[in-house]
Amino acid sequence: MEVQRPNTVKNPPEWFTGDVWLDPIAAPTAPGQQANAGLVRFSPGARTAWHSHPGGQTLHVLEGIARIQSRGGAIVEVPAGQTVICPPNEEHWHGAAPERFMTHLAIWDTLPGQPSAVWGDHVTDAEYNDR
């Protein structure tokens, strides 16, 4: 057994709009492991850029209200206590609703020879507010 004390890091502006912080929770450390997990905190209106995960992603909202959208779909507001499953390679974004902080647990698999995430363009204010 190993006890880890992760450091909070601010997520890079290349992939996020607004202030977003990550506490890494789990990453593969032995052969065959693929699971990653992180506790992610978004300030009001903060969001990821468009992205996808080759191994898919699960988001469990812990507090606040999340906004999540798949490319071509409607924006969905997800309250604390609910979980969203993003299938492998589905382009999407997620972040906090306006005027509300939001925290979610993000879980994703890193597949051998694949990137953890494929990042695209920033979500514009018009896209974020398209309700």
Side-chain angles (χ1 to χ4, degrees):
M1 177 171 51
E2 176 184 347
V3 176
Q4 297 182 344
R5 291 171 180 80
N7 293 324
T8 299
V9 296
K10 192 163 187 185
N11 279 320
E14 297 83 18
W15 299 337
F16 295 85
T17 298
D19 292 325
V20 180
W21 299 268
L22 167 69
D23 287 308
I25 293 175
T29 58
Q33 293 181 337
Q34 298 180 169
N36 296 268
L39 185 69
V40 190
R41 296 176 182 90
F42 293 79
S43 63
R47 56 204 179 258
T48 69
W50 287 101
H51 67 285
S52 62
H53 297 271
Q57 184 178 48
T58 299
L59 304 168
H60 181 74
V61 181
L62 296 168
E63 48 188 12
I65 298 173
R67 274 197 179 175
I68 301 174
Q69 182 181 27
S70 295
R71 181 71 78 178
I75 293 172
V76 179
E77 289 200 344
V78 181
Q82 293 189 358
T83 301
V84 176
I85 309 290
C86 301
N89 301 311
E90 178 181 77
E91 194 173 23
H92 65 281
W93 65 267
H94 40 97
E99 303 177 16
R100 295 286 303 264
F101 282 86
M102 186 273 293
T103 302
H104 68 45
L105 178 64
I107 305 162
W108 67 99
D109 282 335
T110 302
L111 302 177
Q114 298 281 326
S116 176
V118 177
W119 291 95
D121 295 334
H122 280 271
V123 174
T124 66
D125 289 344
E127 288 173 310
Y128 175 81
N129 291 307
D130 183 23
R131 305 230 359 128

